[in-house]
Amino acid sequence: MIKENELKSVLLSEEEIKAIVKRLGSEITADYKDKNLLVVSVLKGSVMIMADLLREIKLPLKIDFMAVSSYGSGTSSSGTVKIIKDLDINLGGYDILIVEDILDSGATLSSLKEILLTRKPASVKICTFLDKPDRRKADIKADYVGAVIPDEFVVGYGLDYDEKYRNLPFVGILSPSVYGG
Ligand code: IMP
Ligand code: MG
């Protein structure tokens, strides 16, 4: 899945991730007891956290999926978001919980949150598996954060570099030699 020389170190083990997801699930379960919860997964990075987190939210809920791209490839996003796949469900009356893999510059989530707010849901909150606050440019905060991490490029548990490594069951710091850093 990943060669030893492509991995600088393991940042979060499978066991640590399990504990994180359990905690997020119970926080969300407590907060959304009397709400009309619609969990929105931002593809593709959130695929793992979405699937695991849903099973830790002990409430009736609905799910939907969205795909956005911040233009360009590489290890940082450019700030403009394009909707690749839109939601199927009309957001009126729903309490939206956006689930993302990582909050980095914040460009993706701040622009996504703005777009969803124009559709008049009851509320919009953000759950991010990872948070890299050192790199924040946009004025945005997540309501639920799995783990705050240092300014390193990480892969695994949904997170990719050039569409690879998403299937790693742990989160690892990618060796800069992989992306020529
Ligand atoms: P932002 O718009 O800069 O906050 O970037 C968010 C997106 O950039 C995430 O959804 C990821 O797809 C990608 N990203 C940012 N940091 C990393 C990382 O360390 N590893 C993998 N993808 C990342
Ligand atoms: Mg990505």
Side-chain angles (χ1 to χ4, degrees):
M1 291 194 286
I2 191 164
K3 296 186 195 111
E4 218 170 290
N5 66 341
E6 295 174 324
L7 189 68
K8 193 163 138 190
S9 60
V10 173
L11 190 64
L12 297 170
S13 68
E14 276 191 79
E15 289 68 32
E16 289 169 317
I17 293 172
K18 249 195 183 140
I20 287 168
V21 176
K22 261 195 182 311
R23 173 183 51 83
L24 289 173
S26 46
E27 288 175 19
I28 292 163
T29 301
D31 292 353
Y32 282 85
K33 281 236 147 57
D34 304 305
K35 307 267 187 185
N36 191 15
L37 178 57
L38 174 63
V39 186
V40 169
S41 160
V42 186
L43 296 169
K44 305 170 207 173
S46 72
V47 61
M48 302 288 187
I49 179 73
M50 180 72 171
D52 287 344
L53 180 62
L54 286 174
R55 282 173 280 194
E56 297 296 336
I57 304 176
K58 315 293 185 185
L59 295 172
L61 56 78
K62 295 183 185 175
I63 67 174
D64 206 348
F65 296 87
M66 194 160 187
V68 299
S69 104
S70 43
Y71 292 86
S73 62
T75 57
S76 67
S77 90
S78 63
T80 335
V81 145
K82 186 171 75 169
I83 296 180
I84 306 293
K85 184 228 172 286
D86 209 337
L87 300 168
D88 299 326
I89 298 178
N90 187 309
L91 300 190
Y94 286 106
D95 293 290
I96 309 300
L97 182 65
I98 303 173
V99 176
E100 240 300 34
D101 54 355
I102 188 166
L103 182 52
D104 186 26
S105 75
T108 307
L109 276 174
S110 67
S111 128
L112 187 59
K113 189 174 179 181
E114 240 169 71
I115 292 169
L116 298 190
L117 279 170
T118 65
R119 302 180 186 182
K120 309 279 180 226
S123 65
V124 178
K125 282 192 182 184
I126 293 170
C127 174
T128 187
F129 172 53
L130 301 177
D131 187 1
K132 257 195 234 177
D134 293 350
R135 298 201 0 128
R136 196 81 80 255
K137 288 197 192 109
D139 179 25
I140 184 116
K141 261 194 195 156
D143 303 277
Y144 305 93
V145 175
V148 175
I149 66 164
D151 182 10
E152 302 263 19
F153 197 82
V154 295
V155 295
Y157 196 67
L159 290 131
D160 73 303
Y161 172 67
D162 197 19
E163 296 299 332
K164 291 183 293 188
Y165 314 116
R166 293 194 198 273
N167 60 328
L168 300 178
F170 57 87
V171 173
I173 298 176
L174 193 64
S175 169
S177 64
V178 177
Y179 51 85

